C-alpha cells in the first residue's frame, strides 16, 4: 500500500544563491538555511521512494501563450537553472506521475500534463536545498500563482485532497513525500499582465509573452526590477498562517479571495497555494515549524515547516 510519509513547506529565494554576501540580517539567513537543512534531514529519514514537488512558475517554464492552472510533469523535466539553481534534466517517477494525472482527471480535475516540462526555481530551489544528496525521483506539479485569473484557494485545497486520494490508491507500496515550495508574504514588482502601466511593467509583460525561446535575454533587466523593489513582509500574517499549519487548520486560507490574499500579504503570497495543496495531501496533519525569518533583503518572509502524519491530529 502506498504511504504518504512526510510533507514539507518551504519558502524559496534565489537571492540565497546570488546575494548571500549582501545579506544584512545574516543571522536570520543562517537560521533559515539551517531550517532547510533540518527539513532535508527529515526527508532523508523518511526514506521516500518519490517526492511530489508542488511549486510555482516565474515565467521561465510557462509563458503567457499558455498558462494552465495546474500542470503535472509526466515525462522529461528540465530545470532552467537561473540564479545558481540546478540546471538540466531532473529525474521523474514517470509511472507514478502518469497514474496521478489519470486519477486526478477521473476525480474531476482537468489537469494539464507535460511530457517535456521546464521548471524554474519555484521547484528547483527545493531540489537544491531539500533534496540535496537524496537519490529520489520527483513528480513535478506546477501551480499558476502569478498570471491572473488564478485557481481559487478552495480549488487548490480540493486538488490537495484529490492528490492524497490518488497517492493512497497508487499500486505498490511506495513511500511518498510531498513538498510545497513558495511564500510566505512578499510583494514582487510584477504587473497584472492584462493592464501593465509604465515601462517596467510593459517590459515584464512582453518578456512573459515572448520568452519561451529566449527568456535569458530578458533576465538581467528582470532581476534589476526585482532588486529595486522594497520589501513588503507581513510578519503577523506569516505567523498566523504558520500557526494554522501547527494546528492542522491551514484550510482557513480558503477563506481568502485572491485579491484579499494579495492585499494582506502581497502578490508573492499567492504561492501559498503550494503549501495548501501539500497540507491537504497530508490530511492537515499538525505541522512542526522549523523556522521563520523575515528577510527584507530577500523581499520575503521565509518559513520552513514539516508535516509528519505519524504525529496524528491533536
Amino acid at each position: 500500500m502506498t504511504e504518504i510519509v512526510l510533507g514539507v513547506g518551504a519558502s524559496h529565494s534565489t537571492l540565497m544563491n546570488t546575494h548571500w554576501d549582501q545579506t544584512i540580517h545574516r543571522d536570520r539567513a543562517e537560521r533559515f538555511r539551517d531550517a532547510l537543512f533540518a527539513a532535508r534531514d527529515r526527508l532523508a529519514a523518511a526514506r521516500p521512494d518519490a517526492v511530489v514537488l508542488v511549486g510555482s512558475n516565474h515565467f521561465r517554464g510557462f509563458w503567457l501563450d499558455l498558462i494552465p492552472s495546474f500542470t503535472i510533469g509526466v515525462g522529461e523535466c528540465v530545470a532552467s537553472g537561473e540564479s545558481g539553481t540546478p540546471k538540466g534534466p531532473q529525474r521523474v517517477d514517470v509511472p507514478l506521475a502518469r497514474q496521478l494525472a489519470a486519477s486526478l482527471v477521473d476525480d474531476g480535475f482537468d489537469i494539464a500534463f507535460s511530457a517535456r516540462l521546464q521548471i524554474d526555481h519555484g521547484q528547483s530551489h527545493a531540489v537544491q536545498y531539500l533534496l540535496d544528496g537524496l537519490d529520489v525521483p520527483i513528480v513535478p506539479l506546477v501551480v499558476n500563482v502569478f498570471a491572473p485569473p488564478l485557481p481559487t484557494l478552495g480549488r487548490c485545497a480540493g486538488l490537495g485532497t484529490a492528490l492524497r486520494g490518488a497517492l493512497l490508491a497508487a499500486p505498490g507500496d511506495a513511500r511518498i513525500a510531498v513538498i510545497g515550495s513558495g511564500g510566505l508574504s512578499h510583494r514582487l514588482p510584477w504587473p497584472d499582465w492584462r493592464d501593465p502601466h509604465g515601462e517596467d511593467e510593459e517590459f515584464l509583460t512582453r518578456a512573459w509573452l515572448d520568452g519561451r525561446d529566449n527568456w535569458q535575454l530578458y533576465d538581467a533587466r528582470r532581476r534589476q526590477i526585482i532588486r529595486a523593489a522594497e520589501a513588503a513582509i507581513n510578519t503577523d500574517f506569516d505567523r498566523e498562517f504558520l500557526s494554522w499549519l501547527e494546528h492542522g487548520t491551514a484550510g482557513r486560507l480558503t477563506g481568502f479571495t485572491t485579491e484579499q490574499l494579495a492585499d494582506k500579504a502581497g502578490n508573492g503570497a499567492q504561492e501559498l497555494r503550494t503549501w495548501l495543496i501539500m497540507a491537504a495531501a497530508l490530511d492537515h496533519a499538525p505541522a512542526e515549524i522549523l523556522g521563520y525569518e523575515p528577510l527584507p533583503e530577500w523581499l520575503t518572509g521565509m518559513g520552513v515547516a514539516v508535516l509528519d502524519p505519524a504525529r496524528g491530529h491533536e
Side-chain angles (χ1 to χ4, degrees):
M1 176 179 173
T2 297
E3 182 182 4
I4 304 172
V5 295
L6 202 72
V8 176
S11 303
H12 58 238
S13 173
T14 59
L15 297 173
M16 286 182 66
N17 297 341
T18 61
H19 289 76
W20 184 271
D21 59 344
Q22 299 175 32
T23 300
I24 298 169
H25 299 92
R26 187 66 66 86
D27 55 339
R28 300 182 190 179
E30 289 176 349
R31 286 195 295 268
F32 172 72
R33 183 188 58 191
D34 290 346
L36 284 181
F37 292 160
R40 182 263 173 211
D41 290 344
R42 295 286 290 274
L43 281 162
R47 297 178 290 106
D49 298 301
V51 172
V52 178
L53 181 46
V54 189
S56 53
N57 160 61
H58 302 79
F59 300 102
R60 293 188 183 89
F62 290 79
W63 290 267
L64 289 176
D65 59 2
L66 182 62
I67 300 281
S69 292
F70 309 109
T71 305
I72 190 166
V74 297
E76 299 173 19
C77 178
V78 177
S80 56
E82 78 282 5
S83 303
T85 53
K87 181 177 183 178
Q90 306 297 307
R91 188 157 68 98
V92 174
D93 187 329
V94 172
L96 177 61
R98 294 182 181 180
Q99 190 275 331
L100 293 179
S103 180
L104 291 171
V105 168
D106 287 344
D107 209 18
F109 284 87
D110 297 324
I111 194 164
F113 66 87
S114 173
R116 183 173 291 153
L117 179 68
Q118 181 168 314
I119 59 174
D120 64 23
H121 73 268
Q123 293 173 311
S124 60
H125 193 276
V127 172
Q128 181 176 14
Y129 290 99
L130 295 176
L131 301 182
D132 180 36
L134 304 185
D135 184 21
V136 57
I138 63 172
V139 175
L141 174 58
V142 183
V143 184
N144 172 32
V145 303
F146 286 125
L150 308 183
T152 67
L153 290 153
R155 187 63 168 166
C156 292
L159 177 61
T161 299
L163 176 63
R164 175 179 178 80
L167 285 169
L168 294 179
D173 56 357
R175 299 170 60 83
I176 307 296
V178 183
I179 293 175
S181 178
L184 300 167
S185 67
H186 62 294
R187 188 175 300 279
L188 298 172
W190 285 8
D192 183 329
W193 67 271
R194 301 165 296 188
D195 187 27
H197 294 278
E199 245 181 64
D200 285 347
E201 292 195 358
E202 289 175 0
F203 168 81
L204 288 171
T205 300
R206 178 54 54 186
W208 299 344
L209 181 60
D210 292 343
R212 180 173 294 278
D213 296 318
N214 59 355
W215 64 265
Q216 295 93 335
L217 298 181
Y218 298 94
D219 223 39
R221 185 171 171 189
R222 276 178 48 135
R223 298 287 290 179
Q224 290 175 351
I225 293 170
I226 292 172
R227 288 294 295 159
E230 293 185 8
I233 300 171
N234 186 335
T235 56
D236 290 339
F237 170 84
D238 290 344
R239 295 185 190 282
E240 183 175 35
F241 174 73
L242 293 173
S243 176
W244 293 345
L245 277 174
E246 281 187 297
H247 293 93
T249 59
R252 295 177 64 177
L253 195 66
T254 62
F256 286 85
T257 66
T258 294
E259 294 73 20
Q260 288 169 338
L261 183 57
D263 289 344
K264 186 80 170 178
N267 58 354
Q270 307 294 358
E271 290 181 324
L272 287 176
R273 284 165 169 77
T274 69
W275 290 57
L276 183 59
I277 291 168
M278 176 276 298
L282 270 290
D283 196 28
H284 294 284
E288 179 184 354
I289 309 304
L290 300 185
Y292 171 70
E293 302 294 339
L295 276 160
E297 306 95 309
W298 299 352
L299 305 178
T300 306
M302 308 294 291
V304 182
V306 169
L307 280 65
D308 185 347
R311 293 182 64 196
H313 286 273
E314 296 174 349

